[in-house]
Amino acid sequence: MSFAKSLGKSFVLIIIILILLIGGGLWLDYLDVISVKKTFAPLYKVMGKTPQTSLTATQSRPLVANLDEDRLAKIQESLLLQAETLDKREADIVVKETQLEQTAQELSEREKNQEEREKTFNLAVKKYDDKNVNVEQIATNLNGMAPKNAVDILVAMDDQTVIDVLRKVEELAKANGTSSMGSYWLSLMPSERAAEIQRKMINKPESLN
């Protein structure tokens, strides 16, 4: 009787040990410490479940790979957009530099033209001043001469110089409060020459040019 009882206890212990072994194996397999799926495949079938194989375990990897490819594609797209933006900025800078160079060239040309105009104007002023000084000196000298000698000198001059001298003589006479000799000199000149000078003095403005 005691032998049968001991045999029963031993059998129970063996069953418990097998259960523990199977449960521990499944747990370690779940933790991916060991692989016992093929060994317990019949048990999975009895329980109506499909054991997880290495193929099913890696089915999620293509999804991860696709995500990595998407990230890489987005990065490449972002870099491409940045490159296009930089190219556009570089092109804009080149256009602006060209415009600035053209503007600088135009300003340089304007400055050069302005300098030329100022130079021409200064030369004209100097020429006028020199001529005015000469005409004033001639008028002063003629006023100090005898009328006949003064007229001989005037007749040898061109019409415009005669006109300038006569006008300067008139100006000096007004400034000094004296009588001008211009009219008397004209009366002593040949009549045709005197008439021509008077006509020009009437038709032209009072200018030394």
Side-chain angles (χ1 to χ4, degrees):
M1 187 71 177
S2 59
F3 175 76
K5 187 176 181 180
S6 297
L7 184 60
K9 289 181 179 181
S10 298
F11 180 76
V12 172
L13 290 173
I14 292 172
I15 295 301
I16 293 173
I17 291 171
L18 291 174
I19 292 172
L20 292 175
L21 289 173
I22 295 172
L26 293 175
W27 177 251
L28 292 175
D29 182 79
Y30 177 77
L31 295 177
D32 204 17
V33 176
I34 61 175
S35 178
V36 294
K37 298 179 182 65
K38 292 182 179 180
T39 304
F40 294 132
L43 180 61
Y44 276 103
K45 291 181 180 180
V46 171
M47 296 173 62
K49 295 183 178 181
T50 302
Q52 186 180 14
T53 62
S54 59
L55 180 61
T56 58
T58 57
Q59 286 179 349
S60 62
R61 292 181 182 176
L63 178 60
V64 174
N66 291 334
L67 291 176
D68 291 339
E69 291 177 358
D70 290 341
R71 293 193 189 97
L72 181 60
K74 290 181 179 180
I75 292 173
Q76 291 176 344
E77 182 179 0
S78 177
L79 292 175
L80 182 60
L81 291 175
Q82 291 180 3
E84 291 177 352
T85 302
L86 291 175
D87 290 340
K88 186 177 182 302
R89 289 180 179 177
E90 184 177 357
D92 292 340
I93 291 173
V94 171
V95 171
K96 290 181 179 179
E97 288 180 349
T98 303
Q99 292 176 349
L100 289 175
E101 290 178 357
Q102 292 177 350
T103 302
Q105 186 176 0
E106 291 176 358
L107 291 176
S108 178
E109 290 294 332
R110 290 180 182 178
E111 184 178 358
K112 183 178 179 181
N113 293 335
Q114 181 64 25
E115 291 177 354
E116 290 294 332
R117 285 194 294 269
E118 291 179 357
K119 183 178 179 181
T120 302
F121 175 77
N122 292 333
L123 290 175
V125 171
K126 186 177 184 303
K127 180 180 178 182
Y128 175 84
D129 291 340
D130 293 342
K131 185 175 182 179
N132 190 43
V133 170
N134 293 334
V135 169
E136 185 174 354
Q137 185 64 47
I138 293 171
T140 302
N141 292 337
L142 292 178
N143 278 329
M145 294 181 183
K148 184 177 183 307
N149 293 337
V151 171
D152 290 341
I153 294 174
L154 288 172
V155 170
M157 296 179 182
D158 61 88
D159 291 350
Q160 184 60 51
T161 303
V162 173
I163 293 171
D164 293 338
V165 170
L166 292 176
R167 285 173 175 171
K168 179 59 67 174
V169 167
E170 185 74 21
E171 180 183 336
L172 292 175
K174 289 181 180 179
N176 296 326
T178 59
S179 298
S180 173
M181 294 293 294
S183 298
Y184 183 62
W185 289 341
L186 284 172
S187 67
L188 297 178
M189 294 176 65
S191 58
E192 293 182 1
R193 180 76 186 279
E196 181 67 16
I197 291 174
Q198 288 177 334
R199 184 186 66 79
K200 290 181 179 180
M201 290 180 70
I202 294 173
N203 293 334
K204 292 185 179 181
E206 293 186 4
S207 173
L208 295 178
N209 295 327

